[in-house]
């Protein structure tokens, strides 16, 4: 009785205890798993936000195209000043012949002062120079303009001898390291060299394009890569990316970076870079088995054609607008616009051949509006297409190239047309993206290249007896990603691309067995120390900030959309309608109901007072009160395009435009946007900005004044 | 009639929420997700199922190739939400759960005990899950989990985002 029952009690007690412990474990696990799932959802939503905003930015270019179309077709200038102004927008910079380039961008006359403490380069380059450069850049020193230009000249000489497709063999160097997009993030390059070693006779590298733009040290990256290219020409291989293109650089930061760092010689340096970029090889082939290109392929990609084309002709490679006419005029007539080609009502017409001489930007000296418009349409059609290329997404009709696609060609004497197919080959290689579905279709999001499916990959690999493709061009959370049944590898080397903690960078190593080995990294000490939750929160904050900015930029359209759900004018709408309305305006394809708690703080009975919500958004953006709010909105929405236009106008890259130019730009823009804008409105706007000198506006300051220049949170 | 109308509106809204969550995990934009992510999706919709419950649900909708189609998921999940199944675990219940593992009632659990309980009992944690939890939960100096603080921390993080309301 006694001991028996106490054993029983003990047994029961411990049984119960372990039962309890078991149940407790289940509860804790259940609770924890919920927490992790939430984190995962947040992480993915954040990623979606960044991607949708990034790609919608590329659609800004479409709007720019519409603006230029509008100018072309409908706007008639009311003064000769306006005419001059507009024509400056359309006539591109001068083009240079080879010899002129050498002369214009010469470096020998540039003296390096004794006070210069940076690295000195002498040619031919030696490994010591590379080390000196690396150290110098780590110390945040700057290479003297003379050496930059010298380096670019030598690089160009070297690149010219290279074929369009570089060949690499693993039997010489045993292992090849392939790196993806760097986008001006020097820290990532340093990290790669630190982890993997510097290029050397026993260490081969392939850098797969997009060395510049977005990050702040594009210049340093190029200097380092070109230096190693010249020291170890057999071991270092560079592919061209879609950002190695001066039209893209205008928008995405490289142009600005160079001009800020080299105030005196920046223009020359940019001109040389523009030239060097078009001499970069288009692809690299490893052991005849692995093809490395920056973007991707299409169902028409032809390696034989790619090998034969003259790659340097494609100074800027973007889409062509289709032409309806097939007849050709051999030459653009004089500036007075006496082309025989007819002009139809919409201003489209037979494509005159591109004039290759540097254009003198003289509009006809007549007050006749009609003739001016005609002149505008006829004479500058070609140059406009440069801009159109940035944004055109004409629909599925087949395109006909009837004239040269490139504005600034180098050599006047060569035949100046390129076949459309050649051009498309290059475009596809640099801009395409893989997609999960089969087939091949136009890449409307980017405005260039196409989306290619696993069947396209399969066929291509088969045709050329290749094993797989390596490409870059798209940011991946882990730094790399396989698709198409492991036949396509995306490698992306810019870590923390969207924000600190957003993604890792990676590089891939291939030995003679061609089995890929990956190394991942994240170039930021703080990122390592943060917990996953903290990292996610931080990236999230950044994403939502960007999203709120976008919402603010569409205030008017949002109000209209909300009102359509608020028939009784109560000032409130349901949260469900909020989500639908927001998507209809922003069209980002985001899961708004999931994101809503981060965007909408206070609701009453599931209803939102939309006007005060929008007011809160506006306050956050710290708008300047005396500026018309609709004007501010338009600025926000179009700032990327505005910046691009300003840079196009600012021919000498000085960063300054005159007050009048600014005013005129605004007038044009606002009439296009159907915004009522008084002169007072513009004056108010301008008065709030500091004038540097003589009625000139430093447009960087202007953009800064409205917090349009994004600062990376430190 | 009114209740039908209200209920329809409610269902429509629920379906939109479910679809949104589903699409976040729909890698190929073809209205299918990998079955292994279903648990994540269900949980991010505000539910607290345990693994057995997730598997039960999955069994109803998983295709032979391991994928789940949106329409099936919608059907099943709408009911779950309307019935308010898999309700959240109240904070004090979690606290008691931790306390049950804290034999000496000292306010913390040692790393060894925690690992033992969570990887060997209940619906066992994988190695990865355990490590992930330890990184955040453990006090590195003493190698113990102070569960009150930990619980509060997670609760705070949670309520910041995605409070689910039907």
């Amino acid at each position: 009785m006694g001991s028996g029952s106490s054993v029983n009690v003990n047994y029961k007690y411990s049984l119960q205890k372990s039962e309890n412990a078991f149940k407790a474990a289940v509860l804790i696990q259940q609770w924890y798993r919920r927490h992790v799932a939430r984190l995962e959802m947040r992480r993915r939503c954040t990623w979606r936000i960044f991607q949708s905003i990034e790609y919608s930015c590329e659609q800004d270019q479409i709007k720019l195209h519409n603006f230029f179309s509008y100018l072309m077709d409908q706007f008639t200038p009311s003064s000769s000043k306006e005419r001059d102004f507009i024509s400056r927008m359309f006539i591109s910079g001068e083009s240079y012949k080879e010899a002129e380039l050498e002369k214009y961008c010469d470096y020998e006359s540039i003296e390096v002062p004794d006070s210069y403490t940076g690295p000195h380069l002498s040619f031919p380059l030696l490994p010591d120079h590379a080390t000196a450069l690396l150290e110098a850049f780590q110390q945040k020193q700057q290479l003297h303009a003379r050496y930059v230009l010298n380096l670019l000249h030598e690089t160009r000489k070297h690149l010219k001898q290279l074929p369009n497709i570089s060949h690499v063999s693993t039997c010489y160097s045993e292992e090849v390291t392939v790196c993806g997009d760097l986008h001006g993030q020097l820290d990532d390059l340093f990290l790669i060299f630190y982890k993997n070693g510097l290029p050397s006779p026993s260490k081969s590298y392939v850098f797969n394009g997009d060395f510049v733009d977005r990050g702040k040290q594009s210049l340093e990256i190029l200097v380092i890569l070109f230096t190693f290219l010249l020291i170890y020409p057999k071991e270092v291989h560079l592919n061209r990316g879609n950002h190695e293109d001066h039209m893209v650089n205008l928008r995405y930061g490289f142009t600005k970076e160079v001009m800020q760092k080299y105030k005196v010689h920046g223009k020359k340096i940019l001109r040389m870079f523009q030239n060097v970029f078009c001499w970069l090889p288009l692809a690299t082939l490893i052991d005849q088995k692995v093809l490395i290109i920056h973007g991707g392929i299409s169902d028409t990609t032809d390696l034989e054609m790619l090998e034969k084309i003259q790659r340097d002709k494609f100074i800027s490679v973007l889409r062509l607008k289709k032409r309806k006419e097939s007849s050709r005029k051999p030459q653009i007539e004089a500036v007075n616009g006496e082309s025989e080609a007819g002009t139809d009502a919409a201003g489209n017409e037979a494509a005159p051949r591109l004039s290759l001489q540097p254009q003198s930007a003289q509009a006809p000296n007549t007050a006749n509006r009609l003739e001016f418009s005609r002149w505008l349409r006829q004479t500058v059609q070609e140059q406009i297409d440069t801009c159109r290329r940035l944004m055109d997404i004409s629909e599925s009709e087949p395109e006909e190239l009837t004239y040269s696609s490139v504005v600034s060609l180098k050599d006047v004497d060569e035949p100046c047309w390129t076949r459309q197919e050649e051009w498309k080959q290059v475009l596809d290689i640099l801009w395409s993206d893989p997609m999960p579905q089969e087939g091949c279709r136009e890449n409307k999001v980017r405005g260039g290249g196409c989306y290619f499916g696993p069947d396209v990959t399969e066929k291509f690999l088969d045709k050329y007896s290749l094993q797989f493709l390596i490409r870059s061009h798209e940011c991946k959370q882990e730094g790399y990603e396989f698709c198409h049944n492991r036949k396509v590898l995306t490698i992306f080397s810019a870590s923390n691309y969207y924000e600190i903690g957003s993604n890792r960078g990676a590089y891939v190593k291939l030995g003679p067995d061609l089995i890929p080995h990956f190394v991942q990294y994240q170039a930021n000490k703080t990122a390592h120390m943060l917990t996953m939750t903290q990292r996610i929160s931080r990236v999230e904050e950044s994403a939502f900030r960007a999203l709120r900015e976008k919402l603010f930029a569409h205030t008017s359209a949002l109000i209209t959309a909300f009102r359509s759900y608020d028939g009784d004018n109560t000032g409130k709408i349901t949260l469900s309608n909020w989500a639908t309305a927001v998507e209809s305006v922003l069209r980002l394809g985001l899961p708004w109901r999931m994101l809503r708690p981060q965007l909408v703080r206070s609701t009453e009975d599931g209803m939102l007072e939309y006007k005060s919500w929008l007011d809160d958004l506006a306050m956050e953006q710290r708008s300047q009160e005396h500026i018309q709010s609709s004007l501010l909105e338009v600025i926000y929405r179009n700032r990327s395009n505005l910046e691009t236009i300003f840079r196009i106008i600012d021919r000498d890259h000085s960063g300054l435009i005159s007050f009048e130019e600014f005013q005129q730009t605004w007038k044009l823009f606002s009439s296009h946007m159907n915004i009522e804008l008084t002169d007072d409105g513009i004056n108010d706007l301008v008065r709030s900005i500091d004038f540097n000198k003589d009625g000139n506006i430093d447009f960087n300051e202007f953009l800064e004044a409205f917090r349009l220049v994004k600062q990376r949170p430190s | 009639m009114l209740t039908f109308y209200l209920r329809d509106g409610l269902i429509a809204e629920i379906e939109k929420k479910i679809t949104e969550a589903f699409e976040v995990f729909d890698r190929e934009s073809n209205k299918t997700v990998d079955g292994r992510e279903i648990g994540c999706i269900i949980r991010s919709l505000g539910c607290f199922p345990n693994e057995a419950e997730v598997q039960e649900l999955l069994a109803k909708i998983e295709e032979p190739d391991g994928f789940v189609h949106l329409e099936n998921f919608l059907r099943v999940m709408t009911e779950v939400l309307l019935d308010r199944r898999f309700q959240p675990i109240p904070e004090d219940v979690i606290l008691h759960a931790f306390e049950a593992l804290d034999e000496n009632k000292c306010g913390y659990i040692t790393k060894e005990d925690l690992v033992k309980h969570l990887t060997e009992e209940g619906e066992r944690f994988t190695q990865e899950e355990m490590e992930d939890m330890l990184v955040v939960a453990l006090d590195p100096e003493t190698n113990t989990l102070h569960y009150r603080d930990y619980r509060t921390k997670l609760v705070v993080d949670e309520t910041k985002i995605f409070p689910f309301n039907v």
Side-chain angles (χ1 to χ4, degrees):
Chain A
M1 233 183 326
S3 52
S5 60
S6 71
V7 165
N8 263 342
V9 166
N10 277 342
Y11 177 69
K12 251 186 156 172
Y13 175 66
S14 60
L15 187 64
Q16 198 173 51
K17 216 175 84 167
S18 60
E19 246 184 60
N20 284 345
F22 190 92
K23 283 190 195 152
V26 171
L27 275 176
I28 295 174
Q29 287 150 347
Q30 197 173 333
W31 175 79
Y32 178 76
R33 283 177 174 132
R34 164 68 153 43
H35 170 73
V36 166
R38 282 286 191 74
L39 273 185
E40 180 60 22
M41 179 58 96
R42 279 165 68 184
R43 196 175 68 92
R44 293 200 188 209
C45 282
T46 306
W47 191 253
R48 293 276 296 257
I49 294 176
F50 276 129
Q51 289 213 301
S52 69
I53 291 185
E54 179 181 24
Y55 293 143
S56 86
C57 219
E58 297 182 354
Q59 292 187 356
D60 271 352
Q61 294 162 343
I62 298 162
K63 294 187 201 146
L64 194 61
H65 157 66
N66 291 336
F67 174 55
F68 283 126
S69 276
Y70 158 80
L71 284 182
M72 276 263 299
D73 298 340
Q74 285 161 40
F75 185 80
T76 36
S78 54
S79 70
S80 59
K81 258 190 175 160
E82 277 190 335
R83 276 196 294 270
D84 286 341
F85 176 68
I86 295 181
S87 53
R88 279 184 57 196
M89 242 195 269
F90 291 124
I91 297 182
S92 94
E94 317 89 278
S95 54
Y96 287 102
K97 287 204 256 190
E98 194 93 355
E100 284 175 1
L101 189 71
E102 302 253 337
K103 205 176 99 185
Y104 173 67
C105 299
D106 84 302
Y107 53 90
E108 295 186 7
S109 57
I110 303 179
E111 272 190 38
V112 180
D114 290 331
S115 53
Y116 171 71
T117 53
H120 296 265
L121 297 183
S122 62
F123 293 80
L125 291 172
L126 300 167
D128 278 347
H129 291 124
T131 332
L133 279 171
L134 288 171
E135 270 169 28
F137 289 152
Q138 256 161 353
Q139 313 288 335
K140 312 265 185 249
Q141 288 177 331
Q142 189 167 297
L143 183 65
H144 196 274
R146 182 205 169 98
Y147 299 129
V148 176
L149 286 167
N150 201 351
L151 176 65
L152 289 174
H153 276 276
E154 295 298 316
T155 305
R156 186 163 153 274
K157 269 195 242 160
H158 171 75
L159 289 175
K160 278 175 86 165
Q161 318 156 39
L162 297 180
N164 294 344
I165 303 183
S166 309
H167 289 258
V168 180
S169 174
T170 53
C171 64
Y172 294 133
S173 54
E174 283 167 21
E175 214 175 38
V176 178
T177 304
V178 182
C179 301
D181 293 26
L182 286 166
H183 281 302
Q185 299 189 184
L186 186 59
D187 285 342
D188 284 311
L189 185 59
F190 282 150
L191 198 51
I192 295 173
F193 285 158
Y194 177 70
K195 289 171 93 79
N196 197 46
L198 297 177
S200 72
S202 57
K203 196 152 290 247
S204 287
Y205 273 92
V206 177
F207 291 93
N208 199 13
D210 276 12
F211 317 117
V212 302
D213 282 332
R214 299 192 201 268
K216 304 264 183 278
Q217 291 167 295
S218 305
L219 195 71
E220 285 79 5
I221 289 191
L222 285 175
V223 167
I224 293 175
L225 291 182
F226 291 161
T227 301
F228 277 117
L229 177 72
L230 294 176
I231 300 174
Y232 301 112
K234 289 212 199 65
E235 288 81 19
V236 176
H237 306 270
L238 306 179
N239 283 348
R240 188 177 184 182
N242 64 307
H243 277 261
E244 275 72 56
D245 179 329
H246 75 284
M247 289 305 270
V248 179
N249 299 149
L250 277 176
R251 178 183 286 272
Y252 288 107
F254 181 55
T255 309
K256 185 156 81 178
E257 181 188 328
V258 173
M259 290 314 298
Q260 276 175 356
K261 290 180 175 168
Y262 292 97
K263 298 197 166 34
V264 178
H265 300 288
K267 204 172 169 210
K268 280 190 193 176
I269 294 178
L270 278 173
R271 189 60 67 185
M272 277 305 294
F273 271 123
Q274 178 183 326
N275 194 270
V276 167
F277 285 163
C278 67
W279 277 112
L280 287 168
L282 299 171
T284 302
L285 196 55
I286 303 185
D287 289 348
Q288 305 290 338
K289 291 261 153 258
V290 179
L291 184 68
I292 310 178
I293 59 250
H294 175 74
I297 55 174
S298 75
D299 52 359
T300 56
T301 299
D302 181 342
L303 287 184
E304 279 115 14
M305 200 191 299
L306 274 172
E307 277 184 324
K308 294 207 190 85
I309 62 177
Q310 290 176 276
R311 69 179 188 271
D312 62 303
K313 277 187 176 177
F314 304 98
I315 295 188
S316 174
V317 192
L318 291 164
R319 285 268 314 254
L320 260 197
K321 177 137 178 110
K322 79 168 194 71
R323 282 273 152 267
K324 288 179 192 157
E325 342 291 309
S326 53
S327 67
R328 268 218 247 179
K329 286 231 32 152
Q331 177 111 31
I332 284 188
E333 294 301 335
V335 158
N336 274 330
E338 278 161 30
S339 165
E340 279 160 27
T343 315
D344 70 21
N348 293 324
E349 55 175 274
R353 183 172 268 222
L354 181 64
S355 163
L356 302 166
Q357 304 293 341
Q359 287 269 6
S360 56
Q362 287 300 322
N365 280 331
T366 161
N368 187 331
R369 288 181 176 196
L370 209 55
E371 189 166 321
F372 175 79
S373 300
R374 202 161 160 251
W375 168 80
L376 194 62
R377 281 192 285 270
Q378 289 169 356
T379 319
V380 298
Q381 184 72 44
E382 311 303 314
Q383 284 92 341
I384 288 163
D385 285 322
T386 312
C387 303
R388 280 184 166 170
R389 258 183 267 127
L390 273 171
M391 68 292 294
D392 191 20
I393 47 159
S394 68
E395 278 69 40
S396 48
E397 295 164 85
E399 291 178 274
E400 258 189 285
L401 171 57
T402 54
Y403 54 88
S404 167
S405 61
V406 182
V407 171
S408 19
L409 289 187
K410 291 157 58 236
D411 240 12
V412 183
D413 297 331
E414 282 178 7
C416 63
W417 58 268
T418 20
R419 281 167 38 230
Q420 178 189 1
E421 287 120 13
E422 284 184 3
W423 166 84
K424 183 180 191 291
Q425 292 289 324
V426 181
L427 188 68
D428 288 339
I429 292 280
L430 298 184
W431 285 80
S432 299
D433 290 311
M435 65 175 177
Q437 299 85 8
E438 304 219 320
C440 188
R441 55 185 173 85
E442 229 176 270
N443 192 328
K444 295 206 171 168
V445 171
R446 295 202 193 251
C450 62
Y451 287 118
F452 62 99
D455 53 331
V456 176
T457 301
E458 187 76 37
K459 224 166 142 194
F460 181 80
L461 294 177
D462 215 43
K463 180 172 175 193
Y464 296 105
S465 310
L466 302 171
Q467 277 182 22
F468 61 96
L469 297 176
I470 301 182
R471 45 90 62 175
S472 304
H473 200 39
E474 283 181 298
C475 183
K476 297 294 177 192
Q477 216 149 3
E478 292 299 317
Y480 72 94
E481 194 175 274
F482 277 108
C483 66
H484 292 189
N485 209 9
R486 290 183 83 89
K487 298 279 175 66
V488 174
L489 168 64
T490 302
I491 189 87
F492 193 84
S493 301
S495 68
N496 305 320
Y497 180 60
Y498 293 125
E499 174 55 76
I500 294 176
S502 68
N503 66 291
R504 293 157 114 171
Y507 56 86
V508 58
K509 296 159 79 78
L510 296 169
D513 56 3
L514 295 180
I515 296 180
H517 297 275
F518 299 96
V519 178
Q520 296 165 296
Y521 52 85
Q522 208 151 7
N524 192 293
K525 279 187 238 139
T526 24
H528 288 301
M529 297 195 299
L530 299 172
T531 62
M532 170 135 103
T533 316
Q534 287 171 324
R535 225 179 297 150
I536 292 182
S537 294
R538 195 176 175 147
V539 183
E540 213 177 24
E541 247 178 73
S542 184
F544 278 102
R545 207 179 308 131
L547 198 52
R548 281 196 288 268
E549 214 183 277
K550 252 209 165 345
L551 286 166
F552 168 73
H554 289 85
T555 303
S556 312
L558 284 171
I559 290 195
T560 314
F562 293 151
R563 286 213 179 113
S564 70
Y565 287 102
D566 181 21
D568 299 332
N569 220 356
T570 61
K572 301 192 192 160
I573 49 167
T574 66
L575 293 172
S576 174
N577 288 336
W578 172 87
T580 318
V582 170
E583 177 57 26
S584 72
V585 170
L586 255 59
R587 294 188 183 286
L588 291 173
L590 291 174
W592 294 102
R593 288 168 186 80
M594 304 241 88
L595 304 176
R596 199 249 316 142
Q598 286 274 56
L599 296 170
V600 174
R601 299 292 171 162
S602 57
T603 60
E604 258 179 55
D605 321 311
M607 302 284 281
L608 167 69
E609 276 186 25
Y610 51 87
K611 192 75 187 34
S612 58
W613 175 67
L614 286 168
D615 285 343
D616 286 343
L617 275 182
M619 266 194 349
E620 236 186 282
Q621 307 295 326
R622 272 188 256 144
S623 52
Q624 312 234 333
E625 279 136 40
H626 59 278
I627 306 295
Q628 296 175 28
S629 62
S630 59
L631 180 56
L632 191 58
E633 220 185 289
V634 174
I635 299 176
Y636 259 78
R637 197 160 44 237
N638 294 285
R639 66 186 182 281
S640 148
N641 284 338
L642 277 175
E643 192 176 343
T644 308
I645 296 176
F646 286 157
R647 290 195 195 285
I648 293 176
I649 294 174
D650 176 28
R651 204 70 56 67
D652 58 1
H653 299 296
S654 61
L656 302 173
I657 59 173
S658 75
F659 171 56
E660 276 159 59
E661 286 168 339
F662 178 81
Q663 221 182 10
Q664 279 168 332
T665 309
W666 263 110
K667 265 188 159 160
L668 294 175
F669 225 74
S670 53
S671 57
H672 171 57
M673 298 293 173
N674 287 322
I675 296 266
E676 266 298 312
L677 194 65
T678 61
D679 279 341
D680 280 345
I682 303 182
N683 290 337
D684 277 347
L685 187 66
V686 169
R687 236 176 268 134
S688 66
I689 306 161
D690 275 338
F691 280 75
N692 280 347
K693 41 191 169 225
D694 288 335
N696 275 325
I697 299 173
D698 178 335
F699 63 80
N700 286 317
E701 259 189 33
F702 162 65
L703 294 172
E704 178 61 42
F706 291 90
R707 296 180 63 243
L708 297 174
V709 173
K710 283 196 216 166
Q711 305 280 344
R712 266 241 176 130
S714 49
Chain B
M1 256 335 236
L2 192 63
T3 41
F4 277 137
Y5 173 72
L6 282 177
R7 190 184 156 89
D8 275 348
L10 189 65
I11 293 185
E13 186 57 15
I14 289 180
E15 287 186 347
K16 283 190 198 141
K17 280 200 167 109
I18 297 173
T19 309
E20 265 192 8
F22 188 90
E23 283 176 349
V24 173
F25 286 81
D26 178 6
R27 286 175 187 280
E28 306 191 358
S29 304
N30 58 359
K31 306 213 190 297
T32 61
V33 305
D34 189 330
R36 291 167 290 185
E37 320 233 67
I38 285 294
C40 206
I41 304 177
I42 298 177
R43 287 172 174 124
S44 60
L45 282 166
C47 301
F48 273 83
N50 57 37
E51 282 302 288
E53 288 163 336
V54 170
Q55 288 308 313
E56 209 186 298
L57 252 170
L58 191 56
K60 291 189 197 160
I61 50 180
E62 196 177 17
E63 304 289 319
D65 61 359
F67 282 83
V68 173
H69 291 183
L70 175 59
E71 46 183 12
N72 294 331
F73 183 68
L74 251 182
R75 194 175 23 98
V76 162
M77 200 61 209
T78 309
E79 269 185 52
V80 166
L81 292 182
L82 281 176
D83 295 345
R84 294 179 179 268
R85 265 191 273 166
F86 313 135
Q87 285 293 288
I89 302 174
E91 284 174 43
D92 52 337
V93 172
I94 277 294
L95 196 56
H96 287 145
F98 276 115
E99 282 171 350
L101 300 184
D102 176 13
E103 302 214 357
N104 305 324
K105 306 288 173 249
C106 43
Y108 61 82
I109 307 175
T110 64
K111 176 179 169 185
E112 291 71 32
D113 280 347
L114 196 65
V115 171
K116 187 174 79 115
H117 285 295
L118 296 180
T119 59
E120 295 175 18
E121 295 174 355
E123 292 181 326
R124 302 180 190 181
F125 269 173
T126 62
Q127 181 87 313
E128 220 188 305
E129 281 176 311
M130 194 68 246
E131 276 170 20
D132 278 345
M133 182 184 188
L134 288 176
V135 162
V136 181
L138 274 190
D139 170 10
E141 286 175 29
T142 56
N143 256 357
T144 59
L145 165 65
H146 292 259
Y147 49 83
R148 272 184 186 272
D149 294 340
Y150 180 57
R151 184 216 57 177
T152 314
K153 184 173 181 309
L154 288 199
V155 164
V156 164
D157 279 343
E158 290 275 306
T159 49
K160 243 179 82 175
I161 321 291
F162 307 138
F164 178 80
N165 36 22
V166 170

